[in-house]
Structures are given as C-alpha cells and as structure tokens.
Amino acid sequence: MELVVITLNSYRIGRVLFQRYMADQLGEEWKNFREQHLSVLDNVDFYKLISIATEETYEEGDVVMIQGTANPKVRIVIEGELEVLRDGTLTYVLEKGNFVSESGLHAGLLLSGSMEACGSIVVGPPFDYPSGEKKQQQNNHHDNNVQKKSSRRNKVRVLTWDRTELVQLLEADKGLRNSLKAALSWDIVRKLKTQRHMLVEGRVKDPTSWTKKREDQGISRYAAILQNMLRLPPEEVQAMSQELNKYRLIHHIDDADHERALAKCGWTKEEFRLGRQEKQDEFEEDDDMDEFESVRWRKVRRFSSKW
C-alpha cells in the first residue's frame, strides 16, 4: 500500500515539474500573448490550455462558422480580426485575444458536445480607421460609410479546442477552471467595448436593426445553451441551475426571454421546470425551429458589411 502511495505521489510531482518545465519552454509569442490577453492565467495553466489546442489559419473570404450549424469548438483569436454576422448583419467583431463560442463557460456552465451557432463568422478585409482619420474624411465630405482600402491582407490565426476535451480538463482542474472563468469574464467586457467602438467608427449602418440583431443573437445563444443542457438527465440540469441563473443575470435574460429560448428548443416553461418533455406526435413539425436553419454562404457574402 505504501508503495502505491509513493508511486502516485512521485507521478504527481513529476507531472507538475514537467508542466513547469514545458511552460518555461514556450516561445516569446506565446509568453507575450499570455501577458497581454490572459494574464490571469499563470504560465502552467496557460501551458495546460494550449497543450490540448490546435492552431487554425484563415484567409479573407473564409467562413469559420455558419449560423444554425452545430459547432463543437471553442476558439481564441491570436492574430487578425473576425466578423460575426446574424442573418447577414454585422453584429460585432472578434479581435486578438477574444474568445469565440465560449457559450456559458464564463458562468461556469461546463457543457460538452456541440452548440448551435447563433451567428456566422467570416474573415473580411481589414477595417482601417486610424485615430482621427474618419473625422478628417467626413470634413472632406466623403461618405461616412466608406471604408479605407488597405493594401494588407487580413490573415487570421486562432487556437481551437474541442469543447468536450476542454470541459474535461476544466472539470479535473479547479484552479485552471477558476482562472479561465476570470479570463472569459474580462473578455466579455472587451467585446462590449468593441461594440461601442463599432458605432463610433461607422461600422454600424442601421443602429436600430443592429440592436435588434444583437438581441436576437443573444436569445439564440441562450437557446443553444438550453438545447445542449436538455440533452442531459434532469438531475444534471438541476445541478447546473445556479450557473444558468448566473448566466441569465450577466446577460439580462428575463423570464420572457427564457420562455422564447425554450420555445425555440421545442420546450415549455413548465416542461423545463419538471425536467421532462411531454410526448409529441413524431410527425409534428416545429415551426419555432425555423430560426435555427443554416444561413448559406451566398447570403452571408451578400449582406456582409465588407463585400
């Protein structure tokens, strides 16, 4: 018995020392990235994350994700900029250090598997309005919505995790889980600031429509979280109730929004409360799910702000 304990402790110590060594071997790019965007994670936790990630590269015109499709990935931008579109309308942009499709992880909702994409993500040309340039263009009577042409290309690099593998890592490592939740919370604040900058920079052509699309996107994202949860046994859903309420508080999901999201999933509020769904005619079609249908790339390309 003592030999088993000694062996286990030796393994754990060896693993910790190995992780520290590997964290110290990270290149300057990764060290700078952590310091600038994920400083709440220490070197070892950062190494744990990137050790199970893969790198993806995209060029202008590429589609990263299509609205309405199943997405089993979580990403973070390490270079370039991504556009997020809801029904073809630009709703926000993702810059270096922004997470993509975290879907409730910041609130502690450790949901594995796929999430239905609440928007399409594409790579458009760079948006160049250096400080003061837009104002000068307006003074010269140029069109407020004209974007400066750039000779550079928008190359995008992202780190990508399989959601299930990432969740398993977070479930096994409480320290890493808490650090990543803090990083994700800061990331939400950054994204809100970026949305305000979009208004100032003139990237939003119709503020009323833009606001409506953002609200629809928020409900769709919440519905995707619910849809994922509803695959679980009722007791597991109940165990996540506190985290779900936290998510609703952060994102201002009121009871009416909650019912709308449930309806998109084909559930009623009472069924959700009971943890089970009433049997329905197997031939019955659910019209409420129309909003989850895929948006084809030709539609995305047609209505993107960049083409």
Side-chain angles (χ1 to χ4, degrees):
M1 185 63 180
E2 290 184 4
L3 181 59
V4 173
V5 173
I6 292 173
T7 301
L8 287 174
N9 287 338
S10 297
Y11 168 75
R12 290 167 181 164
I13 293 172
R15 184 177 62 177
V16 170
L17 292 176
F18 173 76
Q19 290 173 340
R20 288 179 180 175
Y21 170 78
M22 294 302 296
D24 290 337
Q25 302 308 306
L26 292 175
E28 287 302 314
E29 179 187 16
W30 294 122
K31 291 179 179 178
N32 291 335
F33 184 82
R34 185 193 70 81
E35 291 176 359
Q36 295 172 10
H37 303 288
L38 294 173
S39 58
V40 295
L41 275 67
D42 63 27
N43 289 335
V44 174
D45 282 345
F46 181 65
Y47 164 74
K48 291 176 184 177
L49 278 180
I50 66 173
S51 66
I52 65 167
T54 57
E55 184 173 324
E56 296 174 347
T57 302
Y58 298 94
E59 303 291 342
E60 285 183 26
D62 286 346
V63 184
V64 180
M65 193 162 59
I66 298 178
Q67 179 178 325
T69 60
N71 171 41
K73 304 295 184 181
V74 178
R75 298 178 171 91
I76 187 171
V77 181
I78 54 179
E79 180 184 345
E81 179 188 280
L82 293 169
E83 288 186 332
V84 182
L85 311 173
R86 175 69 182 179
D87 299 331
T89 297
L90 177 67
T91 51
Y92 61 98
V93 296
L94 297 165
E95 302 173 330
K96 185 176 180 179
N98 283 149
F99 284 89
V100 188
S101 307
E102 64 276 17
S103 299
L105 290 176
H106 62 286
L109 288 167
L110 300 182
L111 296 167
S112 58
S114 297
M115 291 284 186
E116 188 135 25
C118 63
S120 297
I121 299 180
V122 301
V123 183
F127 188 89
D128 288 326
Y129 270 141
S131 178
E133 179 174 330
K134 183 171 184 292
K135 182 176 181 180
Q136 182 62 43
Q137 287 187 351
Q138 290 173 337
N139 291 339
N140 292 335
H141 306 289
H142 285 192
D143 186 345
N144 292 354
N145 291 322
V146 171
Q147 178 183 318
K148 179 192 172 187
K149 298 297 183 181
S150 175
S151 59
R152 65 187 177 91
R153 302 284 292 177
N154 181 21
K155 178 181 178 180
V156 175
R157 293 164 57 217
V158 297
L159 277 182
T160 303
W161 293 273
D162 176 83
R163 177 179 292 276
T164 297
E165 189 176 3
L166 177 60
V167 167
Q168 289 172 348
L169 174 63
L170 297 178
E171 288 176 335
D173 193 326
K174 183 177 180 180
L176 173 58
R177 180 167 71 247
N178 291 336
S179 296
L180 184 60
K181 282 172 60 178
L184 289 166
S185 296
W186 279 111
D187 182 54
I188 290 175
V189 175
R190 286 187 59 209
K191 288 173 180 173
L192 291 174
K193 289 182 178 179
T194 300
Q195 287 181 327
R196 288 197 292 270
H197 291 163
M198 289 173 62
L199 289 167
V200 174
E201 294 168 350
R203 301 184 75 169
V204 177
K205 299 176 182 179
D206 184 344
T208 301
S209 175
W210 175 69
T211 299
K212 179 63 167 60
K213 291 299 181 183
R214 285 175 57 223
E215 292 173 351
D216 290 344
Q217 194 167 33
I219 297 300
S220 182
R221 184 184 297 111
Y222 180 64
I225 290 173
L226 288 177
Q227 187 69 63
N228 186 294
M229 290 180 64
L230 292 171
R231 303 187 191 117
L232 302 173
E235 60 271 16
E236 293 187 31
V237 176
Q238 181 61 33
M240 292 184 177
S241 60
Q242 183 175 352
E243 287 76 16
L244 185 66
N245 289 335
K246 181 179 179 181
Y247 182 94
R248 291 182 57 180
L249 181 64
I250 293 172
H251 295 281
H252 308 289
I253 304 294
D254 59 22
D255 288 343
D257 293 332
H258 177 64
E259 290 192 50
R260 283 177 57 198
L262 282 172
K264 289 182 178 181
C265 300
W267 284 61
T268 66
K269 185 178 180 180
E270 182 63 16
E271 288 173 337
F272 183 74
R273 186 184 67 82
L274 294 174
R276 65 177 185 274
Q277 191 174 26
E278 297 296 329
K279 290 185 178 180
Q280 298 179 359
D281 188 335
E282 61 179 345
F283 298 104
E284 181 181 350
E285 294 184 0
D286 186 359
D287 294 335
D288 290 332
M289 294 301 291
D290 289 347
E291 296 185 34
F292 283 113
E293 292 181 357
S294 299
V295 177
R296 297 187 183 277
W297 170 230
R298 64 174 179 266
K299 182 176 180 181
V300 172
R301 188 175 179 86
R302 178 183 175 188
F303 289 104
S304 171
S305 66
K306 296 295 183 66
W307 283 287

